[in-house]
């Protein structure tokens, strides 16, 4: 009887070892699947890293390009300003009047010209003359009295 109990114990131990072996075999299969999935994920991550690196280079190139646009925008604004100034100047009907003595105009050159030119030309202007701008031409005033240097 002792042998029967011992045999049954051995059979039970063998069955338990066999069950553990099946469990280990199942775990081994699960580990193989996990390793395959891990390799697949590593490859996907490597692909993503490659794409990110490429995108990083492209973004850097775009940022550099955009930075040059801001310089071009500033230059464009400057050129537009110059063009507007040149267009304004070309649309003017400039008249140069010579021979007026220094200081004769008084404080308001526009009023002086509106009064004096019709008298000098013996003409009536209808509508009255309009002046956009009036400038004094001649040598630069250098003395404290506002007169040009004497030659």
């Amino acid at each position: 009887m002792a042998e029967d109990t011992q045999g049954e114990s051995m059979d039970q131990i063998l069955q338990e070892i066999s069950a553990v072996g099946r469990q280990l075999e199942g775990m081994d299969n699960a580990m193989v699947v996990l390793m395959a999935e891990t390799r697949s994920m590593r490859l996907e991550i490597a692909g993503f890293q490659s794409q990110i690196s490429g995108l990083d280079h492209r973004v850097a190139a775009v940022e550099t390009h955009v930075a040059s646009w801001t310089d071009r925008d500033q230059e464009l604004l400057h050129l537009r300003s110059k063009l507007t100034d040149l267009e304004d100047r070309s649309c003017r009907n400039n008249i140069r009047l010579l021979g007026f003595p220094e200081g004769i105009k008084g404080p308001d050159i526009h009023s002086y010209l509106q009064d004096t030119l019709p008298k000098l030309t013996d003409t009536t202007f209808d509508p009255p003359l309009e002046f956009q701008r009036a400038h004094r031409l001649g040598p630069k005033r250098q003395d404290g009295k506002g007169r040009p240097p004497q030659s």
Side-chain angles (χ1 to χ4, degrees):
M1 213 167 181
E3 283 185 22
D4 280 339
T5 347
Q6 197 176 23
E8 285 177 19
S9 292
M10 283 298 246
D11 285 340
Q12 190 178 8
I13 291 174
L14 286 174
Q15 286 176 354
E16 287 180 18
I17 289 175
S18 178
V20 169
R22 282 191 300 271
Q23 285 179 346
L24 287 176
E25 200 173 288
M27 287 180 169
D28 189 40
N29 290 339
M31 286 298 288
V32 168
V33 169
L34 284 174
M35 287 173 59
E37 288 179 8
T38 303
R39 269 191 233 112
S40 172
M41 287 182 182
R42 281 185 190 159
L43 291 174
E44 284 183 46
I45 290 172
F48 291 147
Q49 286 175 334
S50 175
Q51 288 177 347
I52 289 172
S53 176
L55 290 173
D56 189 38
H57 291 296
R58 290 176 63 189
V59 166
V62 168
E63 286 174 342
T64 302
H65 196 59
V66 167
S68 72
W69 287 354
T70 56
D71 294 340
R72 288 182 187 157
D73 286 346
Q74 292 297 323
E75 183 179 0
L76 182 61
L77 288 173
H78 177 69
L79 291 174
R80 280 185 181 162
S81 173
K82 287 176 86 172
L83 178 64
T84 301
D85 185 52
L86 289 172
E87 286 175 343
D88 287 348
R89 289 176 191 268
S90 70
C91 292
R92 292 184 197 144
N93 295 320
N94 294 325
I95 298 173
R96 183 177 288 189
L97 303 171
L98 302 173
F100 286 95
E102 186 74 26
I104 196 167
K105 65 183 182 259
D108 184 17
I109 186 71
H110 291 117
S111 298
Y112 174 75
L113 290 175
Q114 283 176 336
D115 294 340
T116 306
L117 287 179
K119 292 176 189 172
L120 291 174
T121 59
D122 198 26
T123 307
T124 305
F125 294 98
D126 188 31
L129 291 174
E130 287 185 34
F131 300 98
Q132 288 179 345
R133 297 179 186 183
H135 301 280
R136 181 189 177 284
L137 298 176
K140 186 175 180 180
R141 297 177 182 193
Q142 293 181 353
D143 67 359
K145 298 177 186 173
R147 295 185 181 148
Q150 299 296 322
S151 308

